[in-house]
Amino acid sequence: MSPANREKITVIGTGNYAISISKLFLHHGHEVIFGSRNPNLNYLKQNLSEFNERNFNVFSIEDAWMQSESIIFLAILADEAIYENFAEKICQLLSRSNKQTSKIIVEISNWTDKNQQISNAERLQNLFKDKLDEKSILSKINVIKAFNLINAYSLSNPFESPTKANLANLEFRVPVAGDSEQAKQKLIDLCAQVGILAYNYGDLQDSLQLEKTNSTTFSEWKIPSLISFGFLAFNFIWVFLIYFYFPKKPQSFSEYLADFSLLSHTNKVLGFTTLNLLAFVYFAYVIASIFQLKYGTKYQKFPSWLDNWLKSRKQLGLLAFLIGTFHAIASLFVTNPQYLKDWHYKLSNGVGRMTLNGELNILTGITAYLLMIIVALTSINSIGNSLNWSEWRFVQSKMGISCLTMGLVHDALMYFRIYNEKDENNYSLVYLVTRVKLIAIYFPLMVLISRFILAYCTPISRRLELIRNGSVTCNQKEN
Ligand code: HEM
């Protein structure tokens, strides 16, 4: 790095985060000075042994502040008293000498107190406002929020074993919130120098949203998980009841229980749930298209339930994949004559190999599952980002629909076998119409037919295309 670009970065604190962030700058040739209540250079030397000792040093907080250039990372506990103490020290320094240049304090903490109405960064800014009466001094301090979405481990890990692959895979995106455009731009430029993509997120009051982001755990998974596992549990019960109330031949509850296989039952429920959950994911598109046709424009907002459903498709799809994986593994154990006698040839001296129908069931099941793996993999951001828009759409839409079709064929083939054997086994009409394999077909088939109509029925597909290209069709003009 040329000396002109070399900056002196100040880090207040010597904890994990302070060490991690210093590694980022030391690795790129900047100098780092630490500010600590108990300066201990040996401790830092041990933790930063891979870097040249001349490039870092530690001082008291006041001295580090006085020596700092423009950017100061505040990596101390976001505790009310600790922030108060820090602000007090800095305000005393600022009041004593008004020769100091403008400083940017990068506040990196996360939201901790659920009752908190403002962000930690705003709280710090307010402390300065309260303590510094003079506007001219106050304008020298710019608190900005950044880096709170990256944890210490991910930040420092690539520099501990700085291989080409490790460094090339740095994919940090850093939203920056603050009231001074200049200060934000300065940090964004510095980040660009060290290979981090920082961008303007908004004013300091928007930092509350950033802090809250990290305080929620898998929030976007809650409702999809409830729907998926609720549906699974519900299916487990009604499939249990339907096999009891509509059996091959009349039987008492105790006979039913004696014959009941938990593994086989669970496997049926898993297969049913996977197929119908997948159909549910693709049904959202059908409903959204109907709304767009009704509105006659793409610019009208969907109702919130539909909006949430559309936004949860990734989670629902991945949960369907999880349940499908469970089904595929469980199937390995039930695909034998002890569990699936009808799938195998009956020989005079026992059972033979699998029938053609059985083999087709397995082959279609495996094909559906492989397609599901590809669709699931591309919905993971890091993999999906490596595809261009049309590739991503091809996988998510065409391959996803092929997976749904293959799952449907997999199920329909099983029902076809039952239907084919109806005379041989004297199956009643009630028995035939209550098979779970038949019930499993209805919803996915309806989704596939509607998707087909939306894509290939010219008047509808043409109108949808116009709407999605931004045209406003007749019924919107009438409104
Ligand atoms: C490695 C992949 C797969 C294998 C080996 C496999 C195997 C099986 C087997 C052996 C059954 C019969 C269960 C029984 O009657 O007791 C079954 C049922 C079923 N499978 Fe699969 N399957 C696979 C993947 C899938 C996938 C990806 C889907 C959905 C997209 C699916 C949907 C179904 C459905 C709906 C049933 C009918 C459930 C019922 O009996 O009512 N399967 N599968």
Side-chain angles (χ1 to χ4, degrees):
M1 156 165 306
S2 73
N5 289 336
R6 195 175 141 97
E7 291 236 10
K8 195 192 273 177
I9 308 291
T10 303
V11 179
I12 306 291
T14 49
N16 279 351
Y17 207 94
I19 302 272
S20 300
I21 203 139
S22 71
K23 284 184 181 174
L24 174 70
F25 293 106
L26 286 169
H27 179 82
H28 286 89
H30 294 288
E31 185 187 339
V32 176
I33 53 172
F34 291 89
S36 167
R37 278 178 295 178
N38 310 301
N40 181 343
L41 189 58
N42 278 340
Y43 166 78
L44 286 172
K45 280 183 184 168
Q46 280 165 18
N47 282 283
L48 298 169
S49 54
E50 64 269 45
F51 299 102
N52 190 330
E53 289 175 14
R54 274 182 305 158
N55 289 337
F56 60 89
N57 210 337
V58 61
F59 302 97
S60 67
I61 292 178
E62 291 88 338
D63 288 347
W65 178 275
M66 293 307 284
Q67 293 193 41
S68 63
E69 279 177 359
S70 59
I71 296 199
I72 296 151
F73 284 89
L74 187 65
I76 54 176
L77 195 68
D79 175 88
E80 193 124 24
I82 296 179
Y83 268 25
E84 172 95 39
N85 185 276
F86 170 74
E88 184 70 47
K89 279 183 182 153
I90 303 308
C91 291
Q92 278 174 12
L93 288 176
L94 289 169
S95 316
R96 258 185 257 146
S97 126
N98 57 4
K99 279 194 196 126
Q100 292 189 38
T101 51
S102 251
K103 307 264 161 106
I104 300 165
I105 303 180
V106 185
E107 205 275 345
I108 56 148
S109 74
N110 276 307
W111 200 59
T112 38
D113 180 359
K114 289 227 155 67
N115 301 319
Q116 203 174 310
Q117 298 297 317
I118 59 167
S119 69
N120 291 332
E122 285 175 284
R123 212 171 60 184
L124 182 66
Q125 177 90 307
N126 290 346
L127 282 171
F128 285 117
K129 273 189 195 155
D130 294 346
K131 292 180 195 300
L132 292 167
D133 312 323
E134 264 191 66
K135 270 210 163 124
S136 57
I137 308 182
L138 185 61
S139 66
K140 288 190 175 156
I141 297 215
N142 296 299
V143 177
I144 56 180
K145 168 110 252 155
F147 279 89
N148 66 310
L149 300 183
I150 311 178
N151 62 53
Y153 174 77
S154 342
L155 196 58
S156 72
N157 197 35
F159 307 107
E160 274 161 22
S161 48
T163 59
K164 217 172 173 185
N166 268 356
L167 294 173
N169 283 336
L170 276 183
E171 276 180 356
F172 301 132
R173 284 186 169 74
V174 173
V176 178
D179 291 337
S180 157
E181 296 304 316
Q182 250 183 329
K184 282 188 282 189
Q185 195 52 50
K186 171 94 187 141
L187 183 68
I188 292 171
D189 292 343
L190 179 71
C191 286
Q193 269 186 37
V194 295
I196 287 185
L197 177 71
Y199 59 93
N200 187 350
Y201 184 82
D203 299 336
L204 199 61
Q205 64 180 17
D206 300 316
S207 59
L208 182 63
Q209 194 56 42
L210 285 180
E211 290 185 12
K212 278 184 177 176
T213 311
N214 254 9
S215 66
T216 52
T217 318
F218 295 119
S219 60
E220 73 276 30
W221 283 85
K222 273 184 196 138
I223 305 282
S225 306
L226 273 174
I227 294 177
S228 309
F229 294 113
F231 188 48
L232 187 65
F234 173 75
N235 291 339
F236 195 91
I237 297 168
W238 76 260
V239 172
F240 179 84
L241 294 176
I242 217 159
Y243 277 104
F244 171 64
Y245 283 112
F246 305 104
K248 240 183 222 173
K249 49 183 192 309
Q251 58 186 339
S252 68
F253 190 60
S254 51
E255 282 168 335
Y256 178 62
L257 281 188
D259 213 25
F260 180 78
S261 154
L262 182 62
L263 178 63
S264 170
H265 176 78
T266 308
N267 193 38
K268 287 181 210 294
V269 173
L270 291 168
F272 177 92
T273 310
T274 308
L275 186 63
N276 282 273
L277 202 54
L278 202 62
F280 183 65
V281 172
Y282 286 99
F283 193 48
Y285 171 90
V286 176
I287 300 293
S289 303
I290 294 173
F291 267 89
Q292 283 185 331
L293 286 169
K294 183 177 156 235
Y295 293 154
T297 171
K298 68 171 180 180
Y299 299 110
Q300 191 161 337
K301 268 189 90 173
F302 291 128
S304 59
W305 57 267
L306 179 56
D307 200 40
N308 290 336
W309 184 6
L310 288 164
K311 283 183 190 145
S312 317
R313 282 179 297 174
K314 171 181 158 177
Q315 286 76 9
L316 287 167
L318 284 171
L319 287 161
F321 172 63
L322 187 78
I323 298 172
T325 305
F326 196 166
H327 170 66
I329 298 172
S331 294
L332 296 178
F333 296 92
V334 297
T335 315
N336 62 55
Q338 275 90 26
Y339 283 100
L340 297 170
K341 214 190 293 153
D342 299 342
W343 287 41
H344 297 79
Y345 286 113
K346 294 172 187 80
L347 301 179
S348 50
N349 56 349
V351 263
R353 68 171 170 80
M354 204 177 260
T355 60
L356 176 65
N357 179 281
E359 289 180 343
L360 284 172
N361 286 337
I362 297 295
L363 289 174
T364 47
I366 294 174
T367 314
Y369 185 62
L370 290 178
L371 286 165
M372 239 185 162
I373 293 181
I374 300 173
V375 179
L377 282 178
T378 54
S379 48
I380 298 169
N381 287 352
S382 51
I383 298 178
N385 289 347
S386 66
L387 305 180
N388 68 30
W389 172 238
S390 65
E391 288 166 345
W392 189 84
R393 263 196 60 174
F394 174 79
V395 175
Q396 291 292 321
S397 171
K398 299 274 185 311
M399 287 182 105
I401 288 291
S402 310
C403 167
L404 186 62
T405 313
M406 214 25 98
L408 192 101
V409 173
H410 169 65
D411 180 78
L413 277 168
M414 287 178 242
Y415 185 71
F416 176 74
R417 179 191 47 75
I418 298 177
Y419 188 79
N420 221 18
E421 291 169 357
K422 67 177 190 314
D423 297 330
E424 193 186 319
N425 294 317
N426 258 335
Y427 290 147
S428 69
L429 184 64
V430 175
Y431 179 80
L432 284 174
V433 297
T434 51
R435 287 316 81 201
V436 174
K437 288 172 179 57
L438 179 67
I439 299 169
I441 291 177
Y442 298 140
F443 181 52
L445 189 64
M446 192 264 278
V447 173
L448 283 178
I449 293 173
S450 0
R451 295 273 310 217
F452 186 83
I453 294 173
L454 291 173
Y456 299 106
C457 174
T458 319
I460 298 179
S461 62
R462 179 84 198 106
R463 202 171 130 86
L464 266 178
E465 199 184 310
L466 279 174
I467 292 170
R468 286 177 190 157
N469 284 342
S471 312
V472 177
T473 59
C474 333
N475 59 352
Q476 178 68 14
K477 283 187 194 135
E478 281 156 20
N479 290 343

